[in-house]
Amino acid sequence: MDRLTYVLVPALTLVLWLYSAQLSSSFPSLRGKRVCLLIAHPDDEAMFFAPTLLALTRPELGNHVKILCLSSGNADGLGHIRKEELVKSGLLLGLRSKDDVLVIDDPNFPDSLTMTWHPRLLSNLLTTTFAPKMSSTSSKSAPEASIDVLITFDSHGISSHPNHISLYNGSISFLRALMHRHSGWECPIKLYTLTSTNKLRKYMGILDAPWTTISCLWKKKEIGSFPQPLLLISGLTDYRKAQKSMTQAHKSQMRWFRWGWIGVSRYMVLNDLRKVKVY
């Protein structure tokens, strides 16, 4: 009986994971959208958002996905290396070109475990990047932007990292500024945030896939051009791609604890994104 249990439990876990991945593909997704993934450091795209990138860059969806990274991750003096690693990782995860990765090197946004980035400065940067005509657009006209979707961390930042949380607050500030003089118009940019979980679920890996799938099935759904929730679960092939984006691209960051992360973190396997209304 014990030997049978040792065989059945892993087999059942594998089946439930792969079935969840197949089921998640039936959820509505983004199609034909200009999407920007906003991250704080090189390797955030691999450690937290790999399932999102792998799913949304599928050619049949017709999305154009880019990455905007607000620091070079230069805390250890490796910023120049980490920029190159980010480009390599982005291409492994489905980006069309190295030109779809932009890294900002600004002293206002240092790679720091203790420093919070000011939301107004972040808002100004996002305005310059995505809505440069904001100040000159008439209040009687619809606001304009160069992207349709902005994806980033939620208010808890997954790991409570202050730089991650700053991106959420800066994005909120940006979208409020964008819509400030345009009451009655629809915001041209939809904000999706990655759901933070408790520590147990964070390190359940593929075991969290069935739980998250059931949870999303019970949530209130929105269909249309910008559906929610967005449930993105990688199968075996994409899971291996996500791991390679760390082990082959971000070699400078592969310390012992990151080997543990790519093996047991749910965020290497699945992303559930929530659409946030801020205007």
Side-chain angles (χ1 to χ4, degrees), residues 58-257:
R58 295 202 307 269
E60 64 268 23
L61 294 181
N63 298 312
H64 190 176
V65 182
K66 298 186 177 185
I67 295 175
L68 175 60
C69 182
L70 293 197
S71 82
S72 62
N74 198 41
D76 297 322
L78 299 174
H80 62 293
I81 294 174
R82 298 191 68 187
K83 287 181 182 180
E84 296 175 357
E85 291 178 338
L86 173 56
V87 171
K88 184 175 181 179
S89 171
L91 294 174
L92 283 172
L93 294 173
L95 296 192
R96 298 179 184 180
S97 164
K98 64 180 182 180
D99 295 330
D100 290 332
V101 179
L102 176 61
V103 181
I104 302 296
D105 245 337
D106 189 321
N108 289 311
F109 310 121
D111 178 8
S112 172
L113 287 168
T114 59
M115 184 173 291
T116 297
W117 298 340
H118 198 290
R120 180 176 58 80
L121 296 177
L122 283 167
S123 175
N124 291 342
L125 173 65
L126 295 175
T127 297
T128 301
T129 306
F130 300 126
K133 297 180 180 179
M134 184 172 72
S135 61
S136 60
T137 303
S138 169
S139 60
K140 297 180 180 180
S141 303
E144 299 178 2
S146 60
I147 59 171
D148 306 307
V149 175
L150 185 62
I151 298 174
T152 194
F153 296 95
D154 68 5
S155 59
H156 301 287
I158 308 302
S159 58
S160 299
H161 196 302
N163 296 167
H164 296 175
I165 296 171
S166 295
L167 295 185
Y168 172 81
N169 292 327
S171 297
I172 296 292
S173 179
F174 162 56
L175 293 180
R176 285 176 176 166
L178 181 61
M179 296 304 296
H180 177 63
R181 298 184 302 112
H182 299 276
S183 177
W185 292 96
E186 184 177 358
C187 183
I189 301 175
K190 301 299 185 289
L191 175 64
Y192 284 85
T193 59
L194 181 61
T195 304
S196 296
T197 64
N198 58 49
K199 288 185 178 180
L200 176 61
R201 289 185 61 196
K202 184 191 297 187
Y203 297 109
M204 284 179 65
I206 64 174
L207 293 173
D208 196 53
W211 172 265
T212 301
T213 301
I214 293 171
S215 175
C216 287
L217 286 172
W218 283 99
K219 287 180 180 177
K220 182 180 179 181
K221 297 177 180 60
E222 293 183 21
I223 58 175
S225 298
F226 301 95
Q228 80 157 337
L230 288 182
L231 177 61
L232 311 159
I233 301 179
S234 296
L236 185 58
T237 300
D238 279 352
Y239 182 32
R240 290 295 298 134
K241 287 182 181 179
Q243 291 178 322
K244 287 179 180 178
S245 71
M246 282 299 297
T247 60
Q248 295 183 7
H250 291 288
K251 291 182 179 180
S252 72
Q253 301 304 298
M254 287 310 298
R255 301 167 187 170
W256 67 268
F257 54 89

